[in-house]
Amino acid sequence: MLGIPVDSMTGILEEAQRYLAWLGAQGPIGTVHPCAAVVAGDLAQRIRWRALGPDRGAGRLLWMCERMATAPLAPDLVPRMWRAARARGVDAPDWSGTTPPNDCALPPDRYRALLAERATGVHLDLREDSFRAAAPPGSVIRLWDGATTTLHSGDGEVTTLLLPPDDPSDNSAGNSGAAVFTRGGDRLGTGWLGAYAAIRR
């Protein structure tokens, strides 16, 4: 990594992965800005599975592979499911089928429950001063305008949510967006977070 031997970086990367995962887990409770939580969660997954060479934004697919593998089997099954998905051009856990992949360790009922825990089907549509949002039941929707954020709950229905009020002292006011955090741990953002996920490497 940038000329530094991998063995020298291992401890640093492991600590970074744990810290970033912790930051990512803060998204639903609002202790960090939603942008920081989404990016940190993605980076934590990519560091954990760095040997697979995941691109930016690949954290959601890695999250899904981990959940399908279960913790004890993850070291063996995650790489196999990741490679199989990427070989088919799949780069996110947003497939529509309900048949588990070949290496999925979950029973069929648990796999169907996992499908419902994804951020698949989330719709975030920015209007002038609001978002039209649809997010799974039990999920958290975080809106922001600059550094000001608000928290809402998803119920599966389309709803209109007002952006936070402008803070005249905030130099970043006017930069607005939204992120959804599902109760299963998936996350999806709009605005520049969508651009972040689309930039490879």
Side-chain angles (χ1 to χ4, degrees):
M1 183 178 287
L2 299 177
I4 301 172
V6 174
D7 290 345
S8 301
M9 294 292 294
T10 300
I12 295 169
L13 290 171
E14 289 306 313
E15 288 301 317
Q17 182 269 315
R18 284 191 279 274
Y19 176 66
L20 290 165
W22 177 81
L23 279 178
Q26 304 306 300
I29 56 178
T31 54
V32 298
H33 196 281
C35 291
V38 170
V39 173
D42 176 64
L43 191 51
Q45 292 290 109
R46 291 170 54 219
I47 290 173
R48 181 180 307 143
W49 298 103
R50 59 191 175 274
L52 300 175
D55 292 335
R56 189 172 295 159
R60 291 187 63 232
L61 180 58
L62 289 166
W63 166 82
M64 186 71 168
C65 290
E66 280 187 351
R67 299 294 302 275
M68 290 189 295
T70 70
L73 302 175
D76 182 44
L77 294 185
V78 167
R80 283 167 36 188
M81 286 190 282
W82 165 264
R83 291 185 184 109
R86 296 303 297 126
R88 292 192 308 275
V90 175
D91 60 5
D94 299 322
W95 51 82
S96 57
T98 57
T99 302
N102 288 337
D103 288 313
C104 180
L106 299 176
D109 60 331
R110 184 62 196 100
Y111 176 73
R112 287 190 298 274
L114 175 60
L115 294 180
E117 294 173 3
R118 300 172 300 172
T120 304
V122 164
H123 295 289
L124 298 168
D125 182 23
L126 177 62
R127 304 295 171 94
E128 190 171 316
D129 60 351
S130 65
F131 266 93
R132 281 185 55 80
S139 61
V140 170
I141 305 168
R142 303 261 329 272
L143 305 182
W144 69 86
D145 184 0
T148 307
T149 64
T150 54
L151 186 143
H152 307 273
S153 297
D155 60 6
E157 301 294 324
V158 177
T159 186
T160 299
L161 304 170
L162 294 177
L163 284 170
D166 286 337
D167 179 353
S169 66
D170 183 2
N171 292 333
S172 61
N175 295 316
S176 56
V180 171
F181 301 89
T182 71
R183 64 180 164 205
D186 197 7
R187 59 210 169 265
L188 194 64
T190 189
W192 74 266
L193 289 174
Y196 165 85
I199 299 171
R200 297 306 178 192
R201 300 223 183 260

